[in-house]
Amino acid sequence: MKYNFTSGAELLEKCNELKMPIHQICLEREAELAGLSTEEVREKMRVSLNIMKAAIEKAIEEDIKSMGGLIGGEAKKLTKYRGSSRTVCGELMNKAMAAAMGTMEVNASMGLIVAAPTAGSCGILPGAVVTIGKEYGFNDEEMIDALFTASAIGVIITRNATVSGAEGGCQAETGAAAAMASAGVVEMMGGSPEQAIHAASHCLQNVMGLVCDPIAGLVEAPCQGRNAIGVANALISAELCLAGILNIIPFDETVAAMYKVGKELPMELRETALGGVAATCTGCSLTTKIFG
Ligand code: SF4
């Protein structure tokens, strides 16, 4: 297959050889694999982009309560705070955090989201791509391109490691989501494929070792906060790479290290709700309150 790649190194080689950005290689690969035209594949991605945008809007406009009752209303609170006072993180980061946390609220209330790469990390990619897209006036086509860039990073992590909290901890879920989002933002902002891949490395390294400890086994808390941190990770890593601050460890080695760390995590810290904050006194009493 002309456009296939199995590692970051191979992806970069293809970009250089074919003189294409990551998003174009990924689009062609997808079309090749699915036996569809590139236009048809783009239309499928457009559906995902629209779902992402709708989830963000829903959380900012409506009152949402999660199934477990641990989260709900955070996107609205952030938006209100932004409108009423100076913000610590600045307007852009506040918007990205609200989008990420809001998407998690929609997920936790059984609403429609795009699990990219997972439901537990579903706020990070839209939080970064849609927020930056709107802020800098990128159109839907450019945001769709960014989602293809992100997909390429997701393909590599899924193939060579994992994006599952149950297998590799939260570093694998929200770390992978941030890596995908960061690469997408770098290319959308005019960065090179090399800068995009380095941004993904930064993201994975920034949260290496992060455990998966959902309270009551529900994908609500601390998951939602980790989506806020995840979107910050994505934007900070993109900023670093666009400024020319690349990572000293190659992406493929970083992915392998993340996977190894994930396998070394005890089962208590891999989505079983038996460790971390899930196992604190308050975590346990919340579990009892929800499930009796
Ligand atoms: S703590 Fe676990 S369930 Fe929650 S987002 Fe992280 S990996 Fe997913």
Side-chain angles (χ1 to χ4, degrees):
M1 275 176 54
K2 186 176 173 189
Y3 297 100
N4 198 24
F5 52 85
T6 57
S7 67
E10 246 180 69
L11 174 59
L12 258 186
E13 229 177 85
K14 290 252 181 251
C15 290
N16 292 333
E17 181 194 317
L18 301 168
K19 306 217 174 333
M20 286 179 175
I22 292 174
H23 63 79
Q24 207 176 334
I25 301 268
C26 187
L27 172 65
E28 296 285 356
R29 174 188 182 272
E30 209 56 38
E32 215 172 34
L33 276 173
L36 297 171
S37 67
T38 52
E39 291 73 25
E40 286 169 316
V41 176
R42 281 191 82 83
E43 285 316 303
K44 286 178 183 289
M45 195 61 102
R46 192 180 312 280
V47 173
S48 294
L49 176 65
N50 288 336
I51 293 171
M52 289 177 181
K53 285 181 170 177
I56 294 170
E57 273 168 36
K58 184 179 169 69
I60 288 169
E61 284 163 13
E62 295 175 22
D63 289 321
I64 297 179
K65 195 81 188 146
S66 66
M67 299 301 284
L70 299 178
I71 63 171
E74 289 76 19
K76 275 186 141 182
K77 280 185 188 165
L78 274 165
T79 306
K80 193 173 166 208
Y81 166 61
R82 183 174 75 241
S84 63
S85 96
R86 292 182 302 174
T87 80
V88 175
C89 298
E91 291 224 346
L92 177 67
M93 194 64 89
N94 177 296
K95 284 180 191 169
M97 289 158 64
M101 295 185 96
T103 304
M104 284 295 286
E105 290 173 52
V106 173
N107 176 58
S109 61
M110 302 294 124
L112 188 61
I113 52 90
V114 181
T118 62
S121 60
C122 67
I124 297 171
L125 184 54
V129 169
V130 175
T131 306
I132 292 289
K134 279 190 182 165
E135 191 72 14
Y136 294 110
F138 291 110
N139 60 32
D140 280 6
E141 300 314 312
E142 290 162 314
M143 287 190 242
I144 288 169
D145 285 346
L147 295 181
F148 278 111
T149 308
S151 302
I153 299 298
V155 164
I156 296 165
I157 300 175
T158 308
R159 186 185 190 284
N160 300 322
T162 181
V163 295
S164 154
E167 200 184 354
C170 201
Q171 57 156 9
E173 266 198 34
T174 57
M180 293 165 63
S182 196
V185 167
V186 167
E187 275 205 341
M188 188 162 60
M189 293 292 287
S192 67
E194 192 190 17
Q195 286 172 317
I197 287 180
H198 277 258
S201 287
H202 281 311
C203 286
L204 288 177
Q205 289 176 31
N206 290 343
V207 293
M208 196 162 288
L210 184 62
V211 304
C212 172
D213 51 353
I215 295 167
L218 299 170
V219 185
E220 298 190 12
C223 316
Q224 190 195 34
R226 290 184 186 159
N227 274 253
I229 291 294
V231 80
N233 187 9
L235 298 184
I236 290 166
S237 299
E239 185 93 324
L240 289 174
C241 289
L242 287 165
I245 304 164
L246 303 183
N247 201 286
I248 54 174
I249 306 293
F251 177 64
D252 294 324
E253 289 180 43
T254 301
V255 171
M258 182 276 281
Y259 195 30
K260 188 165 185 295
V261 168
K263 284 194 282 194
E264 286 164 357
L265 288 174
M267 68 89 176
E268 285 82 0
L269 300 175
R270 285 186 287 115
E271 216 170 319
T272 51
L274 296 173
V277 294
T280 58
C281 287
T282 303
C284 292
S285 53
L286 284 168
T287 306
T288 309
K289 199 171 148 201
I290 295 167
F291 294 115

